[in-house]
Amino acid sequence: MNQDVWTAVDMYITDLLVPSDPALEAALQASGAAGLPSIQVSPVQGKLLHLLARACGARQVLEIGTLGGYSTLWLARALPAGGRVITLEADPKRAEVSRSNFALAGLSGVIELRLGTALETLPKLASEGRGPFDLIFIDANKSSMPEYFDWALKLSHAGSIIIADNVVRNGAVLDAASGDADIQGVRRFNERLASEKRVTATEIQTVGSKGYDGFAFVLVIADR
Ligand code: SAH
Ligand code: DHB
Ligand code: MG
């Protein structure tokens, strides 16, 4: 088994189950044209986020890490009328590309992008009384994942779902002695998950067009 097979199977599944959508395709096109790295979730993963948001009836969604807004669009499309996505992005160029993608998709009124480092924006959201969020997608810099998880908990309610991307990283997560701050961030996040009594969680390894990685799925079972 190798990357070529994973990619081919992802294309097979995508062709069958993820009908091409002009706004999502346009967002990928514009992101590529603007030189953004192609590190967004894959189409099948975007649809997974979308159907999880629908399954839990999410109305208020928080995303940490926007890039070109591809996952944001999948999440926004899952919301009922009156629903809202707040998405956090530190890079001004990426924020601009995303805002343009949201406008082209006709979703500017549903998605609120906050430009700034997430660890500065999250306390602001809390002090503004934003949230609680029904679904939170953590997908920014991995070195701060434990802190993002703490904020996600503060901004959630019993029944909220927290999803985190990139928890396996080609198996590098196993390396306890890793000198990579991202790997150490993922490992501390996993240890927080294991010891936190207010949540129950699992992680699923994934292969596909984005290589070998994984998602954490967390259910908040008790209010702060
Ligand atoms: N969720 C997107 C991919 C996000 S990639 C998708 O699947 O479509 C991670 C993003 O997090 C990058 O755009 C990066 O600029 C942003 N990021 C990195 N560090 C950040 C920080 N401290 N605060 C906010 N965003 C950050
Ligand atoms: C990177 C970030 C991601 O969120 C991802 O899914 C893949 C790679 C990165 O920063 O390299
Ligand atoms: Mg990711």
Side-chain angles (χ1 to χ4, degrees):
M1 286 297 150
N2 58 34
Q3 182 61 60
D4 290 344
V5 180
W6 302 341
T7 301
V9 173
D10 247 3
M11 285 172 62
Y12 166 77
I13 298 168
T14 302
D15 284 346
L16 283 172
L17 302 178
V18 191
S20 88
D21 176 307
L24 290 166
E25 307 279 328
L28 288 181
Q29 278 283 331
S31 300
L36 271 49
S38 190
I39 55 173
Q40 70 283 345
V41 293
S42 68
V44 296
Q45 293 173 340
K47 189 163 181 186
L48 173 65
L49 295 174
H50 171 91
L51 67 85
L52 286 170
R54 285 173 65 175
C56 70
R59 302 183 63 86
Q60 298 290 328
V61 171
L62 173 65
E63 175 179 71
I64 308 177
T66 316
L67 188 64
Y70 182 71
S71 54
T72 323
L73 290 171
W74 270 113
L75 288 164
R77 285 271 177 80
L79 301 180
R84 200 153 187 80
V85 183
I86 300 182
T87 185
L88 315 186
E89 175 55 56
D91 182 292
K93 180 182 171 189
R94 294 175 181 190
E96 189 186 316
V97 171
S98 296
R99 284 187 174 127
S100 158
N101 287 336
F102 302 154
L104 284 170
L107 287 164
S108 295
V110 173
I111 303 167
E112 182 177 334
L113 187 150
R114 295 289 194 102
L115 174 62
T117 58
L119 285 178
E120 288 177 19
T121 309
L122 287 161
K124 287 184 196 156
L125 293 179
S127 66
E128 290 168 17
R130 304 304 293 268
F133 297 94
D134 309 306
L135 185 151
I136 300 166
F137 180 43
I138 300 177
D139 192 23
N141 58 313
K142 313 309 165 190
S143 53
S144 298
M145 274 178 80
E147 290 74 27
Y148 296 151
F149 175 66
D150 287 341
W151 278 107
L153 263 185
K154 284 195 188 87
L155 293 166
S156 66
H157 57 79
S160 295
I161 299 278
I162 301 170
I163 304 165
D165 192 19
N166 311 112
V167 297
V168 173
R169 307 240 81 179
N170 237 333
V173 67
L174 291 177
D175 183 5
S178 173
D180 182 335
D182 288 340
I183 296 306
Q184 291 301 341
V186 173
R187 288 183 59 88
R188 284 192 297 123
F189 167 77
N190 288 336
E191 284 149 22
R192 281 282 290 112
L193 280 189
S195 63
E196 175 55 62
K197 297 288 189 286
R198 292 169 292 180
V199 305
T200 184
T202 191
E203 293 185 347
I204 297 293
Q205 303 182 71
T206 58
V207 294
S209 59
K210 298 290 165 171
Y212 167 40
D213 216 317
F215 284 106
F217 298 98
V218 184
L219 177 66
V220 179
I221 54 177
D223 279 313
R224 55 220 127 109

